[in-house]
Amino acid sequence: MTRYILRRLIAMPFLVLGIVTLAFLLTTVTKGDPLTAIVSDRQLNNPEVVAAAKAKWGLDRSLPERYVIYVGNLLTGDMGTSFITRRPVAQDVLYRLPATMELVIAAMAVGATIGISLGVLAAYFRNTAIDHAARFFALFGSSIPVFWLGLALLYVFSVQWGILPGPGRLDARATPPPMVTGFMTVDTLMAGNVRLFLDAVWHLILPAFVLGWAVAGTISRLVRANMLEVLSREFILTARAKGAGEFRVVIRHALRNTLVPTLTVIGYSFAYLLTGAVLTETIFSWPGMGSYAVDAARGLDFPAIIGVTIVGGVIFLITNLLTDIAYVVANPRVRLG
Amino acid sequence: MSAHTPLFEVRDLRVAFGPGGILGEAVRGISLHVDHGEVLGIVGESGSGKSVGMLAALGLQPEGARVSGSVRFKGRELVGLPRRDLRELRGSRIGMIFQDPLSSLNPVMTVGDQIAEAVRLHNRDMSRKAALDRAKDLLALVSIPQPDRRLQQYPHEFSGGMRQRVMIAMAVANDPDLLIADEPTTALDVTVQAQIMDVLADLKQRLKIGLILITHDLGVLAGHADRVAVIYAGQVVEQAGVDDLFARPGHPYTRGLIASIPDMTRMDDRLFSIEGTPPALGHLPSGCAFNPRCTVAQDVCRHLAPQTHVEGDHNATCHFAFQNVVSAA
Ligand SMILES: Nc1ncnc2c1ncn2[C@@H]1O[C@H](COP(=O)(O)OP(=O)(O)OP(=O)(O)O)[C@@H](O)[C@H]1O
Ligand SMILES: [Mg+2]
């Protein structure tokens, strides 16, 4: 097992380099002149800025030399300056990534919890009203577009009923806590402000649910199918013959045997959540990577686009790696074989 | 019949499938009993209702099955008992082991955890540590070498015979009064079969349990059972002490089963088998269920269900029970 994980870890830097290379090639193909991918249109007439950029990114040199310089800059955390925010892209990312991660993790928690529970219930009570309701919930979640769902739920729960807050991470009148981790739930707690923490959680609910619904649907279908298969296996009879109660039979014996495929689908749903976050963040005015990417794409903010590409790609690689490791760890036959 | 209460007594047990029993009865009124320290063999072809019957007796029938009749354990009626009370009996007073030890063990739990679970389910305040210690002793009891190391392994790391020993250890974890072994050796190699039978015989001696041994091989019962119930199409067609049964089989089906036991001493390897197949669920012939396959069947067998003929402790359900002693072979 260690050998497998080691092999995967060794491969990581090369995969990251692959993403970086792709991103670099992007900078060289845009609009012909690489300068336009580094300096905004408005600044192109400013000789000082242009000269500084040329020197920094080695634009007078050959392509391979520029590649080395580019990678070198990246290694020091320099991804260039955003045309729109005029701040270093790395700084923007550092500020916005935690907001996205908080949303995605919350959505994943919502999706996994609802998905697994529904899947287990649907399997145990197969062909009953519970099963049909779960099937409808899953179908609905995966066929309704995120932006429609987001707007509809916002309208109903926030505008009409007023039981959930509107867009944003905190009440507009509240003063945000000093940024430490960038996770609003964590930072409010670190600031010792429980009321603000609850407000942050309150604001997370709707976007996390909107983003997590489709994932919950996918997971529930998979868990249901796996549970049905496992529940018909003989060791379930053994567990009952031992005197185990139904709850123990279902959770400890059956569900545990569906852990491996479930973990896998949860892990791979991360990529979906990252893409889904783009729309969700836009609807909920969530200051994360998704809305940053949308702004960047709209404004042809190349340094930002490339920064988002690299960071997104690396996150994707890491979650896939973690998923594969979890797969191995959770499966005794693979682990020992 | 003696007046005392048997350890386990089944009377007129019926199991029907389908809504309103529309698919037919897999078990059609089985009656049998077993006492402490006694081995009852149940023999019959595949599909005769052996497993469904014994599982239903413990409330473990498949979903949608309808169970009726009476099952008494130490005088207490089990049919209709609340699920909770049944659970308390299962795994503590009554242990069960199944045919295929690999699929009967949870593949993602260590063997130690699975045995310890059986212990703790019926000893709520026992610590995990104490339960694992007990599991270790149990592995030693069924002669598994290096129990310490084995506890931490998963079922797939065991051989077939060792897995069945684990199942046995789990079934006797709480010193049950009754052990039901459903074809415990069918999935195993011939050499291993004998070992597992020895383990069971040894446990029966040591723990003084009643043992119900289900098999489709009458030969297995020859050296191990005290009494035998022969099941055909969901009914007991003959019941007798084991020696009596072999010496004086009263039912043509039993004679057929005896004739199909592979004989190691005979050099020709032609094996007798009863012609035809047992009736499918819900497709019983009229008269005696065995009549289409019976070599001595008469007209009456095709029209009239036979009565049970009793001769002492020996009974057989056949129009011509104990009459045609000529071997069917
Ligand atoms: N869930 C079910 N639904 C319908 N019929 C069933 C179901 N389970 C078992 N049966 C039927 O019940 C009958 C008895 O099956 P059972 O498993 O008890 O046979 P068996 O004597 O144990 O045979 P084997 O030697 O193969 O284990 C079979 O005809 C089978 O088709
Ligand atoms: Mg069976």
Side-chain angles (χ1 to χ4, degrees), chain A residues 174-240:
Chain A
T175 324
M179 178 168 160
V180 186
T181 61
F183 283 68
M184 199 55 88
T185 47
V186 178
D187 286 354
T188 49
L189 276 186
M190 287 175 80
N193 193 333
V194 175
R195 249 196 46 212
L196 221 49
F197 166 75
L198 292 176
D199 192 41
V201 172
W202 209 228
H203 276 79
L204 249 179
I205 293 177
L206 213 45
F209 188 76
V210 166
L211 186 54
W213 192 335
V215 172
T218 312
I219 292 176
S220 74
R221 298 324 287 163
L222 178 100
V223 169
R224 179 186 184 274
N226 281 308
M227 282 293 288
L228 279 184
E229 192 266 320
V230 172
L231 280 172
S232 71
R233 305 246 297 266
E234 204 134 297
F235 64 82
I236 296 295
L237 186 59
T238 305
R240 290 193 172 119

Side-chain angles (χ1 to χ4, degrees), chain B residues 41-296:
Chain B
I42 298 183
V43 67
E45 284 167 296
S46 188
S48 53
K50 308 183 294 291
S51 302
V52 166
M54 284 303 106
L55 286 172
L58 304 187
L60 291 172
Q61 66 275 13
E63 212 177 322
R66 285 204 323 189
V67 181
S68 61
S70 159
V71 177
R72 284 176 180 271
F73 178 71
K74 290 181 166 176
R76 186 177 178 199
E77 180 60 55
L78 301 191
V79 175
L81 203 64
R83 289 210 301 199
R84 196 193 165 76
D85 296 344
L86 273 174
R87 273 210 309 271
E88 260 166 37
L89 287 177
R90 284 186 218 131
S92 87
R93 301 295 88 229
I94 306 175
M96 255 199 122
I97 59 181
F98 303 106
Q99 176 169 339
D100 180 359
L102 180 58
S103 48
S104 298
L105 288 164
N106 189 330
V108 302
M109 268 170 92
T110 62
V111 158
D113 281 343
Q114 296 190 55
I115 301 177
E117 183 188 32
V119 175
R120 285 181 79 190
L121 273 169
H122 301 282
N123 301 272
R124 294 276 167 191
D125 6 275
M126 190 186 267
S127 72
R128 192 180 124 85
K129 173 83 181 55
L132 281 171
D133 278 345
R134 169 89 179 124
K136 194 176 73 186
D137 295 343
L138 285 162
L139 286 188
L141 182 72
V142 294
S143 311
I144 291 184
Q146 297 181 281
D148 260 325
R149 191 173 64 88
R150 288 302 214 165
L151 275 184
Q152 290 151 35
Q153 294 186 329
Y154 290 88
H156 71 269
E157 296 172 78
F158 285 65
S159 69
M162 285 295 156
R163 276 182 213 129
Q164 197 57 294
R165 285 170 198 255
V166 169
M167 281 297 290
I168 295 172
M170 207 153 73
V172 300
N174 297 298
D175 282 322
D177 300 302
L178 175 69
L179 182 61
I180 301 178
D182 189 353
E183 310 208 27
T185 61
T186 307
L188 305 175
D189 291 344
V190 185
T191 45
V192 184
Q193 287 183 6
Q195 294 169 13
I196 294 297
M197 288 312 301
D198 288 345
V199 171
L200 285 174
D202 178 54
L203 281 177
K204 187 210 77 176
Q205 278 303 323
R206 276 206 260 178
L207 305 177
K208 297 274 175 285
I209 47 182
L211 177 62
I212 295 181
L213 197 57
I214 301 174
T215 177
H216 57 240
D217 178 6
L218 194 50
V220 170
L221 298 180
H224 290 99
D226 298 313
R227 279 184 309 110
V228 176
V230 180
I231 294 199
Y232 187 79
Q235 283 181 329
V236 176
V237 294
E238 180 160 10
Q239 204 163 169
V242 67
D243 296 333
D244 203 14
L245 187 92
F246 277 97
R248 226 164 47 90
H251 196 287
Y253 180 59
T254 312
R255 290 199 286 276
L257 287 179
I258 293 174
S260 0
I261 299 171
D263 188 348
M264 299 298 182
T265 58
R266 244 178 15 199
M267 285 322 278
D268 69 84
D269 46 8
R270 251 182 40 239
L271 199 59
F272 174 83
S273 68
I274 305 167
E275 253 179 63
T277 51
L281 191 67
H283 293 276
L284 285 171
S286 61
C288 169
F290 185 59
N291 87 71
R293 306 172 70 192
C294 185
T295 51
V296 296

